[in-house]
Amino acid sequence: MPADFSSLYNHHEREVFAAVMDAAEAHPEIAASNDLLCDVACVALNRLTPRYIRHEVDFSFYLTEHERHEIDTAIADAVSYAFNFVQARTALRARG
């Protein structure tokens, strides 16, 4: 009988997606394109250590307040970097 891994996911995905959408207002040239927003999310997620979980409560229950703050800061930094990266790449492509 094959194992069912469909309940596993990267904890950071939901938080990064929300952070990208929150920051999109400040980047209307990127926000206008679903493809670019997806690129931003990919770049941000690739900058973070994956945290695979099955249930949100399992992850959150074991975090200290300090760890939670570190994760929130890392997500904010990764999303900021990703918007700048995608914006710079888009500008380079437009010139070429």
Side-chain angles (χ1 to χ4, degrees):
M1 174 176 224
D4 179 9
F5 297 108
S6 63
S7 64
L8 303 178
Y9 66 97
N10 180 353
H11 172 268
H12 297 319
E13 288 175 0
R14 292 177 185 165
E15 291 190 24
V16 166
F17 298 159
V20 167
M21 294 311 297
D22 288 345
E25 285 183 27
H27 303 276
E29 66 286 351
I30 293 174
S33 168
N34 186 64
D35 287 340
L36 292 178
L37 285 174
C38 287
D39 288 347
V40 169
C42 286
V43 171
L45 284 165
N46 283 328
R47 294 186 60 83
L48 299 167
T49 303
R51 302 288 183 164
Y52 285 93
I53 62 172
R54 289 185 63 205
H55 306 286
E56 185 69 30
V57 70
D58 293 343
F59 183 74
S60 299
F61 180 75
Y62 293 104
L63 288 179
T64 66
E65 189 61 36
H66 177 72
E67 289 169 325
R68 182 77 200 144
H69 177 70
E70 284 182 340
I71 289 170
D72 290 345
T73 299
I75 289 171
D77 291 347
V79 169
S80 176
Y81 173 89
F83 269 103
N84 290 330
F85 180 86
V86 170
Q87 188 170 16
R89 290 291 185 172
T90 302
L92 281 175
R93 265 189 243 134
R95 288 187 209 158

